[in-house]
């Protein structure tokens, strides 16, 4: 197939398919949220209705008890990890502060070392002896 025919055909198909995607097809879809009408809004039961679980789900089985206990253990582990993480972050922050202080002290020491007026004067080196030791 040549490109002269293929490219316009692709453009036409893209135009048709974009119309299908943009079309609102609410007839087949189930609405999960809807606005309450004025008659429903006046009734307090429409808003405060209690939802209960079916009876067969209310009976606790061994699997449910085991699942709840496992969830409690995992929840405790997660809390412990969170506490350890917070402790680690606090230690890291303290280490950063300590490092910053050390850096400032080192910078100050370098600056002080570089000032010539603050340096102590060196004594003059001793002169050379006239003759080597042990020789007249």
């Amino acid at each position: 197939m040549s490109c002269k025919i293929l490219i316009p055909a692709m453009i036409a198909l893209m135009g048709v398919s974009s119309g299908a995607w943009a079309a609102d097809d609410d007839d087949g879809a189930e609405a999960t949220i809807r606005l309450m009408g004025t008659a429903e809004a006046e009734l307090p039961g429409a808003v405060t209705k209690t939802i209960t679980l079916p009876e067969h789900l209310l009976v606790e089985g061994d699997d449910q008890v085991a699942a709840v206990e496992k969830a409690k253990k995992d929840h405790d582990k997660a809390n412990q990890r969170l506490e350890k993480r917070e402790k680690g972050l606090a230690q890291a922050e303290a280490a950063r502060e300590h490092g910053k202080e050390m850096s400032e002290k080192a910078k100050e020491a370098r600056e002080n070392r570089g000032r010539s007026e603050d340096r102590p004067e060196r004594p003059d080196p001793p002169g050379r002896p006239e003759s080597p030791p042990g020789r007249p």
Side-chain angles (χ1 to χ4, degrees), residues 2-106:
S2 78
C3 291
K4 292 179 183 179
I5 297 171
L6 184 62
I7 292 175
M10 287 175 46
I11 291 172
L13 286 173
M14 287 173 47
V16 171
S17 66
S18 67
W21 281 101
D24 289 332
D25 187 19
D26 289 335
D27 297 335
E30 180 181 331
T32 56
I33 299 176
R34 65 176 178 83
L35 296 175
M36 292 177 24
T38 55
E40 291 176 330
E42 293 174 4
L43 301 173
V47 178
T48 60
K49 183 178 178 182
T50 304
I51 299 172
T52 60
L53 291 173
E55 292 296 322
H56 70 280
L57 293 178
L58 294 176
V59 178
E60 289 190 13
D62 293 337
D63 293 338
Q64 289 176 341
V65 172
V68 168
E69 294 206 9
K70 184 178 183 314
K72 284 181 184 178
K73 288 179 186 176
D74 291 343
H75 188 262
D76 291 341
K77 281 184 184 178
N79 285 339
Q80 289 173 355
R81 288 180 182 155
L82 182 62
E83 289 172 6
K84 286 181 182 179
R85 181 178 186 272
E86 290 173 358
K87 183 180 176 184
L89 289 174
Q91 288 176 343
E93 184 64 30
R96 276 189 221 100
E97 289 296 323
H98 181 69
K100 188 176 181 182
E101 290 173 9
M102 296 289 288
S103 174
E104 289 173 1
K105 286 180 182 177

